[in-house]
Amino acid sequence: MEKRFNSLLQLIDFFKDESICKEYLAQQRWGNTVTCPHCKHNKVYVTNRGYKCADKACYKKFSVTTGTIYENTKISLRTWFAAMYLLTAHKKGISSHQLARDLNITQRTAWFVLHRIREMLKEKAPKALSGDIEVDETFVGGKNKNRHKDKKIEGSQGRSNKDKKPVLGIVQKKTFEIIERPHKVIAGKTVKEKIITEPSRVICQVIDDTDAVTLQTILTSNVEFDSTIVSDAYKSYIGLELTYNHIRVKHTEGEDKYKTVGEHHTNTIEGFWTSLKRSYIGIYHYMSPKHLQRYCDEMSFRYNTVNSTDCFRFEQAVGRAENARITYKQLIGDGKKGRKEDSTLAGSNFRRQENIKEEINHERFRGEAEFRGNISGKSEF
């Protein structure tokens, strides 16, 4: 079942009832071959309520929603699809209060639906970034000056994480080529056109601190070694030049704060932070540190599909519904039974992370010494 939606109205007109929604979901999930979600067997029986696995070792019943975020839901699939379309199509997201009014559901239900969709939008195994990379960190949280007198926190200025949560962003800059083609109107005239060969991609991770081990461990796990990394002059990035082609852009105060070194800058990742902060200030107003990673996953999904249509973005979201279910109890819990936060963005195993940390600790001090030696004209090695 192939359908292109140019607007929310067309989507609602197409999904007239639950049977059409289930047929569309089955096509997006399995294609032409229904597969058992329990044992992955591709021979099943069709029952009056769904399917039944034909494998004697399994022989379990299931439906098209089994193993997805829609499993055991009391909300219609039409409502789910409308919520997914609204969240992925709106540039800065949509609040639970607004979604509740639009879909005629309670705010609590809308909040739960949005977080389930954000959990689904998370990149399960992100591809390592390569080429020209920009990296930067930001702090997400309210400003101390906006708090009531009895709620102000001392020593929370600047890079303090007492009341803010640090977030690391890594963006791969888009690549393009310039071609010359005939003018579409004027005969005999040619024009130059920029063709994007590979769009920008971003990886966004909530972290506990911004020390060198934390930042460089994540970078090493998610950026290929032959890449060029552009960062600001923050001290935790010292030592990257031992592994990557590292370019440091020193930010200065004033109108021309963000400098450019040749063709290199950090404006791309700064633009992503702008979208995240506009979403925070203009739509959500508050992002809980416990759920901040899901908001980052939401923004990353939209950024990575910025050149796609709303229909394609919706289809991508529906295709990620499997194995992304989270219950309400897990969502509001203390985190022990909730979402397992990845220590890295690519899901590298723990042993590899420990080895990387040991290497970074060793190389960092050597890199700092060489850096000081280059400044003073003397080398400590």
Side-chain angles (χ1 to χ4, degrees):
M1 179 186 296
E2 185 175 352
K3 179 65 180 176
R4 293 290 179 261
F5 312 106
N6 295 324
S7 65
L8 177 63
L9 183 61
Q10 291 184 3
L11 181 139
I12 295 175
D13 288 341
F14 178 75
F15 294 116
K16 297 179 180 179
D17 52 49
E18 287 296 286
S19 61
I20 297 178
C21 294
K22 291 180 179 179
E23 183 182 352
Y24 177 83
L25 180 60
Q27 181 66 30
Q28 291 291 322
R29 185 179 183 184
W30 296 315
N32 297 324
T33 304
V34 180
T35 305
C36 175
H38 303 290
C39 65
K40 306 303 179 183
H41 200 268
N42 57 5
K43 290 186 178 181
V44 299
Y45 301 119
V46 179
T47 65
N48 57 346
R49 292 188 177 182
Y51 307 93
K52 188 173 184 179
C53 183
D55 187 7
K56 294 182 179 180
C58 179
Y59 218 57
K60 293 181 179 179
K61 296 180 180 179
F62 63 93
S63 67
V64 69
T65 61
T66 302
T68 67
I69 64 171
Y70 321 108
E71 185 176 358
N72 296 330
T73 181
K74 297 180 181 180
I75 306 172
S76 66
L77 288 178
R78 294 183 73 232
T79 304
W80 273 103
F81 287 172
M84 292 169 62
Y85 187 90
L86 289 171
L87 181 64
T88 56
H90 288 192
K91 184 177 181 180
K92 293 186 289 186
I94 184 171
S95 68
S96 59
H97 288 275
Q98 183 63 51
L99 187 67
R101 290 190 292 268
D102 291 344
L103 301 182
N104 193 26
I105 56 179
T106 64
Q107 185 272 334
R108 177 178 174 177
T109 300
W111 181 84
F112 182 37
V113 167
L114 288 174
H115 272 301
R116 270 194 168 186
I117 297 175
R118 293 186 186 106
E119 181 74 15
M120 176 188 65
L121 296 179
K122 175 189 175 184
E123 193 77 31
K124 301 300 186 298
K127 181 182 176 182
L129 305 180
S130 61
D132 292 335
I133 307 296
E134 294 181 19
V135 59
D136 192 25
E137 71 287 340
T138 190
F139 289 81
V140 178
K143 293 183 178 180
N144 206 33
K145 67 178 183 179
N146 295 333
R147 295 190 177 95
H148 193 271
K149 183 178 180 180
D150 61 352
K151 294 183 179 180
K152 292 185 181 294
I153 302 174
E154 294 184 2
S156 61
Q157 300 87 348
R159 301 181 65 89
S160 171
N161 58 1
K162 290 183 178 180
D163 60 337
K164 298 181 289 291
K165 196 70 175 175
V167 181
L168 177 66
I170 314 170
V171 63
Q172 174 183 305
K173 297 177 65 175
K174 63 183 177 183
T175 58
F176 58 88
E177 60 181 13
I178 299 177
I179 63 172
E180 191 170 355
R181 62 169 178 81
H183 198 281
K184 295 181 180 180
V185 178
I186 304 175
K189 184 178 180 180
T190 59
V191 294
K192 292 183 178 180
E193 183 178 359
K194 183 186 293 185
I195 303 297
I196 298 177
T197 56
E198 187 172 358
S200 299
R201 289 195 301 124
V202 69
I203 295 178
C204 190
Q205 174 69 41
V206 178
I207 53 181
D208 295 326
D209 53 67
T210 58
D211 60 21
V213 174
T214 301
L215 299 185
Q216 296 189 29
T217 299
I218 297 177
L219 285 169
T220 307
S221 301
N222 294 277
V223 180
E224 295 182 0
F225 291 130
D226 58 346
S227 304
T228 298
I229 294 183
V230 183
S231 70
D232 55 21
Y234 186 48
K235 62 181 181 180
S236 291
Y237 296 117
I238 296 177
L240 285 176
E241 60 274 5
L242 301 176
T243 310
Y244 301 96
N245 178 22
H246 184 207
I247 299 174
R248 306 178 73 193
V249 179
K250 185 176 181 181
H251 293 177
T252 58
E253 299 298 332
E255 296 181 357
D256 55 345
K257 180 178 179 180
Y258 299 103
K259 295 287 187 179
T260 301
V261 179
E263 298 180 351
H264 302 286
H265 52 75
T266 58
N267 295 342
T268 309
I269 186 64
E270 296 290 351
F272 176 76
W273 293 143
T274 299
S275 299
L276 178 64
K277 297 297 180 68
R278 290 302 97 191
S279 177
Y280 185 106
I281 297 172
I283 301 297
Y284 298 120
H285 307 305
Y286 176 73
M287 296 179 181
S288 169
K290 182 170 63 175
H291 304 301
L292 179 58
Q293 183 61 58
R294 294 189 184 90
Y295 289 102
C296 293
D297 293 336
E298 172 196 339
M299 296 300 299
S300 299
F301 175 80
R302 276 197 294 267
Y303 185 88
N304 293 337
T305 56
V306 66
N307 295 320
S308 305
T309 62
D310 292 340
C311 173
F312 178 80
R313 201 177 291 115
F314 169 78
E315 291 177 345
Q316 287 282 308
V318 173
R320 297 185 181 187
E322 192 169 1
N323 298 325
R325 183 170 179 257
I326 183 172
T327 64
Y328 189 80
K329 185 177 181 180
Q330 291 174 330
L331 194 60
I332 65 174
D334 58 2
K336 294 181 180 179
K337 296 182 180 180
R339 171 179 178 166
K340 296 180 180 179
E341 301 292 349
D342 293 333
S343 59
T344 65
L345 303 176
S348 301
N349 59 57
F350 178 76
R351 183 176 299 176
R352 184 188 176 201
Q353 291 301 311
E354 291 300 311
N355 293 336
I356 292 174
K357 286 184 178 181
E358 291 180 3
E359 293 177 6
I360 290 175
N361 276 327
H362 174 74
E363 297 294 344
R364 179 194 172 197
F365 295 112
R366 180 181 179 88
E368 289 178 347
E370 290 181 351
F371 182 73
R372 290 193 298 269
N374 292 336
I375 294 177
S376 62
K378 299 179 180 180
S379 176
E380 298 184 16
F381 292 91

